[in-house]
Amino acid sequence: MLIVLDGLGGLPLVPGGPTELEAANTPNLDQLARESVTGVHHPMEIGVTPGSGPGHLALFGYDPVADSIGRGALSAIGLGIELGDHDLAVRLNFCTLDGNGNVTDRRAGRISTELNQQLIAKLNGIHAPDVSLELAAERRHRAVLVLRGEGLDARVRETDPQAIGVPPLAPDALHPAAEHTSRILTGFAHQVGTSIGNEQPANFVLMRGYGQYRVLPSLESLYQLRAACLAVYPMYRGVARAVGMKILPVTEEPNNQMEELEKAWDAFDFFFVHIKETDTLGEDGDFDGKKRAIEAVDRWLPRVRDLKPDVLVVTGDHSTPAKLRAHSWHPVPLLLWGSLARSDHVEAFNESACLSGGLGHIPARSILPLMLAHGQRLAKYGA
Amino acid sequence: MLIVLDGLGGLPLVPGGPTELEAANTPNLDQLARESVTGVHHPMEIGVTPGSGPGHLALFGYDPVADSIGRGALSAIGLGIELGDHDLAVRLNFCTLDGNGNVTDRRAGRISTELNQQLIAKLNGIHAPDVSLELAAERRHRAVLVLRGEGLDARVRETDPQAIGVPPLAPDALHPAAEHTSRILTGFAHQVGTSIGNEQPANFVLMRGYGQYRVLPSLESLYQLRAACLAVYPMYRGVARAVGMKILPVTEEPNNQMEELEKAWDAFDFFFVHIKETDTLGEDGDFDGKKRAIEAVDRWLPRVRDLKPDVLVVTGDHSTPAKLRAHSWHPVPLLLWGSLARSDHVEAFNESACLSGGLGHIPARSILPLMLAHGQRLAKYGA
């Protein structure tokens, strides 16, 4: 069982202070750390900050660069949209522009999913020459656009300026083969402005994460794992589906993930449980909120342990320090519990304690092999 | 800002004793370590001892093997010699031979730069068939020979026997294509013996670091960094120039590097400051001298901190333990200071304390990406 607290790693708000995880009251995680082998992981190359797609691919044992899939495609398949080999998916973020066309909020105040759905209904009237468009609301301010047609190419500039007070970028072609796609997206953006430009707070979209869908070898084909995903957000369901996990239905209701886990327990070999709030609150700069989200997971742990997993890993896919209000490159604490874990002297689950753990400082890609090893699912190499 | 104390890492002279860095009184470095994230780095593959060229290429984020440039070429460009694509540069060390032709001192007592220049003037009369020769004094016992002509090839045996009491090796061809170059260098060495064989203490040269110059992608093209180098020794200027740094003029006067740094502070994004003495004294087996050289840098640090760098790294390019009188493979202590560094519990800057630092044990190549990350100069990978 793999529990991912999205954006778990943090930073102190003041020099010498605690991180979010260090500030949180986590008696169950600390007890688990005492019984576990711990460490920290680097999601990608040292110093590189991952998006959520590559961060999760690494946790699932894939190469986050060579096996990369655009975020738009992950969101689309997470929403159950079927993607053909040549379809192009784009992640949309509803945003707020001021009267001068400058971005004032890259997430439009994280509008409700209901408002998102209403806006998508308005945008559904947009057409483009030579391609068919499919739009779908994801959650809060996130949505997906799928383009279907000939000659689509992902090498187009993302329009999110990653800053406020400046206008969105143009979806320029970054390669001559992408001129056609660039023209379609330019026209789409123009029509979005015409259609919802007078709405508030969401009056435009930023386009990112262009990608075609690649079928990766499944966890079942690689490791004979029947794997299941318990995630609320479509993007995480998408990346889980891309590696062949069964997507179990879960709702936002606080205990629903736990209840569905208990129900499905006997039917699978591997469970991926995704907690989104830690990342969202980190991105909002809400140190105390992120701390409380960690504490909520801690309170859950006794029920997880009652299920008696063979191997239990708790970690994050990357750091999202509230201080930075963004993903970061800092290493992520990690614990691995199991009857064959060679436990270390670490007495608490947090960034500094795990630095001296028995797993050392490892790439995220090594976590799944370690889980399989501790579950005695890997054969000896060589005679 | 990257401060490199050349050959920083050391060894105890007696079991259980302190290293040079542990013996040094370094209140400013220790205070910096308390505020920083620390670790150790391996310059190359674990167990491999680097020369200064590859050691610095790794610190600048390049692959020290794939991007290697011969030391001779680095010294030549550091001296301002223009190298064409096919020119071959050779590093020369003046040495002392006894009456039997055996090496008694591989560095000729580290002769003065003035004597070096006088000897180079004598050697300037040497000619070779089919190629033109250019000789230049570097500093102390080091000089450079540049060959210009057709069909030059670096695959020739280095003549430094790396031992005393034995004669220099012959510059034999290590590949059939290098026969021509081997003949030129054999003739050159013969004429050196004829020309200065009766001098003392420098009466011959050892030839190493054969190399053609390769243009590497610059730090500016890779990372949009306007980088500057403050180094006294030409070889280090050469490797800095090879990666596109601006070479600022500095003298040997003890405070000159600091003064030039302060003057240039606003004009660049990245500074590389190179301290040579730690390595030289380590190679001389002078434990106390190396200790004092470290203490001199420590006294400098308040002025560096007054400049308020965003990110400050202090480390070495490799270890040069006085006990070994040579470069070594031992990992090198490292500290990274910056407002986004997730500080650890390390309270002093030395080999043993940094072992448990938050950066872990990393390859030298990861240092520049970490500096860029902590300076918020890297984009997120994937949406």
Side-chain angles (χ1 to χ4, degrees), chain B residues 7-12 19-21 290 318-322 328 330-331 333 351:
Chain B
L8 174 64
L11 281 176
T19 65
E20 297 90 323
L21 179 56
K290 182 176 169 191
H318 53 73
S319 295
T320 306
S328 79
H330 300 87
E351 291 87 345

Side-chain angles (χ1 to χ4, degrees), chain B residues 206-249:
Chain B
L206 302 174
M207 301 189 287
R208 307 162 52 176
Y210 311 126
Q212 274 144 338
Y213 179 51
R214 305 173 52 204
V215 176
L216 297 175
S218 70
L219 293 176
E220 180 147 18
S221 68
L222 292 169
Y223 312 116
Q224 294 166 28
L225 279 186
R226 293 168 304 157
C229 160
L230 291 145
V232 175
Y233 269 72
M235 205 299 293
Y236 306 94
R237 297 181 185 187
V239 67
R241 200 174 143 204
V243 300
M245 289 191 203
K246 177 82 185 290
I247 310 303
L248 301 181

Side-chain angles (χ1 to χ4, degrees), chain B residues 68-74 76 83-91 145-147 153-155 158 208-214:
Chain B
S68 71
I69 301 175
R71 167 92 179 221
L74 293 175
L83 287 183
D85 284 352
H86 303 298
D87 299 348
L88 184 74
V90 178
R91 170 180 162 185
L145 167 66
V146 175
L147 285 64
D153 193 298
R155 288 169 286 184
E158 302 196 334
R208 307 162 52 176
Y210 311 126
Q212 274 144 338
Y213 179 51
R214 305 173 52 204

Side-chain angles (χ1 to χ4, degrees), chain A residues 101-141:
Chain A
N102 292 324
V103 178
T104 57
D105 188 331
R106 293 173 48 240
R107 301 183 184 92
R110 295 190 189 275
I111 55 169
S112 69
T113 304
E114 292 68 35
L115 176 54
N116 181 337
Q117 289 162 343
Q118 292 162 22
L119 293 166
I120 289 294
K122 291 197 180 190
L123 300 182
N124 259 329
I126 296 177
H127 294 285
D130 306 327
V131 296
S132 73
L133 303 182
E134 178 173 356
L135 280 153
E138 196 177 342
R139 284 168 46 78
R140 309 301 293 261
H141 57 290

Side-chain angles (χ1 to χ4, degrees), chain A residues 10 44 49 51 319 323 329-331, chain B residues 339-340 342 360 373-374 376 381-383:
Chain A
M44 300 187 61
T49 297
S319 294
K323 177 178 180 169
W329 62 90
H330 298 88
Chain B
S339 64
L340 298 178
R342 187 196 275 162
H374 284 82
Q376 296 192 273
Y381 181 84

